[in-house]
Amino acid sequence: MMQRLSSRVLSLAGQGQSNWVLDVPEDVSIWEWVSSAFVQHDIQSAHLDVMGGHLRSAVFYTGYPDPAGKRIAQYGAPNHTGNATLISAMGIYGKDRDGKPLLHCHGCLVTGNGQTQGGHLDTQQCIVGQTGIRIYVTTTSEVEFAARLDSTSGMYVFHPQLAEQNDGTADRAAVSAAHER
């Protein structure tokens, strides 16, 4: 018998979640549309499932192992492509180290020359093409995502936390653990 899996968001949320559909029109960046809609609806943190569609242009980064061994991966130079097909992407919207909005998004796309590529999408520079893109959004009012130093990877990554538990304790613990290596 297979057990039902639940996301980290739902495992922290006691009152469930809200689900939204966000349609991103042609000629805007994914970031521009998402951040504007989230400010308008007072969404502080969310999980995004980005459905496929056309991108007029895209910038993405691929990772490679860190030769120094201090991080799990290091991002290479930006990859620029025009006229790409986004197969799918997944993103987390939350707060960066300074408490400002941040969208971290990884996706898979087919470039104009037919190569399948993937990695971290620079959503500010991913411009939606013809027919737009649909995003399924999951939010909770009780859970937020905050970028903190992750002791395992040595990188700042999103961690779910209860919205009222942002006193910096987890940051201090993660920083201490990272420096113990």
Side-chain angles (χ1 to χ4, degrees):
M1 182 166 100
M2 186 133 183
Q3 291 183 341
R4 181 172 178 238
L5 299 177
S6 61
S7 73
R8 295 185 300 175
V9 175
L10 300 180
S11 66
L12 282 177
Q15 301 297 318
Q17 77 276 353
S18 297
N19 297 297
W20 307 77
V21 174
L22 180 61
D23 289 316
V24 184
E26 184 176 3
D27 293 330
V28 298
S29 75
I30 294 172
W31 167 254
E32 177 185 354
W33 200 258
V34 167
S35 62
S36 175
F38 285 10
V39 165
Q40 180 181 353
H41 294 284
D42 195 30
I43 295 172
Q44 303 294 313
S45 292
H47 174 272
L48 292 79
D49 288 308
V50 185
M51 301 296 103
H54 179 257
L55 294 176
R56 187 172 314 287
S57 62
V59 174
F60 63 96
Y61 298 82
T62 53
Y64 58 90
D66 179 9
K70 293 183 179 182
R71 296 181 175 185
I72 288 178
Q74 198 76 16
Y75 285 121
N79 298 288
H80 298 264
T81 186
N83 201 26
T85 301
L86 181 67
I87 303 300
S88 69
M90 189 281 298
I92 299 291
Y93 179 88
K95 297 174 184 171
D96 69 8
R97 294 183 261 183
D98 299 319
K100 296 179 182 167
L102 175 69
L103 175 56
H104 188 89
C105 188
H106 284 223
C108 178
L109 47 90
V110 178
T111 62
N113 64 6
Q115 289 186 323
T116 302
Q117 299 284 320
H120 171 74
L121 301 178
D122 180 341
T123 58
Q124 291 180 343
Q125 297 187 68
C126 287
I127 307 301
V128 176
Q130 60 192 22
T131 70
I133 288 178
R134 176 163 278 183
I135 302 175
Y136 293 98
V137 179
T138 302
T139 65
T140 73
S141 59
E142 302 159 333
V143 176
E144 64 185 14
F145 292 104
R148 294 196 311 256
L149 183 62
D150 181 75
S151 62
T152 303
S153 67
M155 301 173 80
Y156 278 86
V157 297
F158 278 130
H159 292 267
Q161 63 188 25
L162 295 175
E164 55 273 347
Q165 292 184 345
N166 194 6
D167 64 359
T169 304
D171 264 338
R172 288 189 296 277
V175 170
S176 296
H179 290 292
E180 289 175 2
R181 292 184 187 190

